[in-house]
Amino acid sequence: MNTKTWTAVDDYIVSSLFEADPVLDAVLAANRRQGLPAIDVSAAQGKLLSLLVRISGAKKVLEIGTLGGYSTIWMARGLPADGKVVTLELDPHHAKVARSNFERAGVADRVELRVGSALQSLTELGGENAGPFDLIFIDADKPNNPNYLACALRLSRSGTVIVCDNVIRDGAVLDEDGRDANVEGARAAFSFIGGDKRLDGTAIQTVGAKGYDGFAIAIVD
């Protein structure tokens, strides 16, 4: 098996299970035109996030790492009419593109985008008593994974679902002696979830258009 096969299977999943979605296609095209890195979740992964929102009955979602808003839109679509996504983005250009995409997708009324350091924004959310959130998706700078997880716990309740992306990293998560900060961040996420008695978690390895990676998923007891 190789990336070509995995991508073909992803295409098969989308063509078999999803309706054509010109809006989301336009979102990805806008991201490309604006020079954003092509690191969005895949369509299949986006649908998974949307289904997790629905399965958990979430009304309040927190996303750490917006990029162009592709994953945000998927999650916003899974919310009930009175639901809300708060999404955090460091880069003002990315945030501008994302806001345009939210309008394009018709979910702007369900999304609050905050621009700036995610850790600062998370501190502010805590000070505003903005939580608890029902589902939290962490997909930002990987070295800060343990800090984001700690903040997520403070903004959670019993039953909150926490999803942390990119934790397998083509299998490099096994490298105990590596010096890649992103791999160290992935390992730190495992250590945090495995070491905190308030969390009950697992991880799912994924292959597809985005290569070999995976999610860590935990629920707050």
Side-chain angles (χ1 to χ4, degrees), residues 78-100:
L79 289 169
D82 59 346
K84 181 179 181 181
V85 180
V86 176
T87 185
L88 313 179
E89 175 56 44
L90 175 64
D91 189 299
H93 175 61
H94 295 176
K96 181 179 178 180
V97 175
R99 285 197 174 97
S100 177

Side-chain angles (χ1 to χ4, degrees), residues 13 29 36 49 53 57 67 79 81 97-98 139 158 162-163 174 177 185 211 217:
I13 291 168
L36 272 62
L49 291 171
V53 170
L67 193 62
L79 289 169
V97 175
D139 190 14
S158 177
I162 300 175
V163 182
L174 295 175
D177 301 318
I217 302 177

Side-chain angles (χ1 to χ4, degrees), residues 138-146 148 165-166 169 181-186 188:
I138 301 171
D139 190 14
D141 54 307
K142 309 312 173 185
N144 264 317
N145 275 342
Y148 294 145
D165 198 9
N166 306 127
R169 311 206 67 85
N182 292 322
V183 174
E184 291 175 351

Side-chain angles (χ1 to χ4, degrees), residues 75-120:
M75 291 188 289
R77 287 179 168 185
L79 289 169
D82 59 346
K84 181 179 181 181
V85 180
V86 176
T87 185
L88 313 179
E89 175 56 44
L90 175 64
D91 189 299
H93 175 61
H94 295 176
K96 181 179 178 180
V97 175
R99 285 197 174 97
S100 177
N101 284 333
F102 299 151
E103 293 287 348
R104 177 180 285 109
V107 299
D109 61 331
R110 278 174 273 169
V111 178
E112 176 187 341
L113 172 57
R114 297 193 178 204
V115 183
S117 161
L119 290 175
Q120 179 61 37

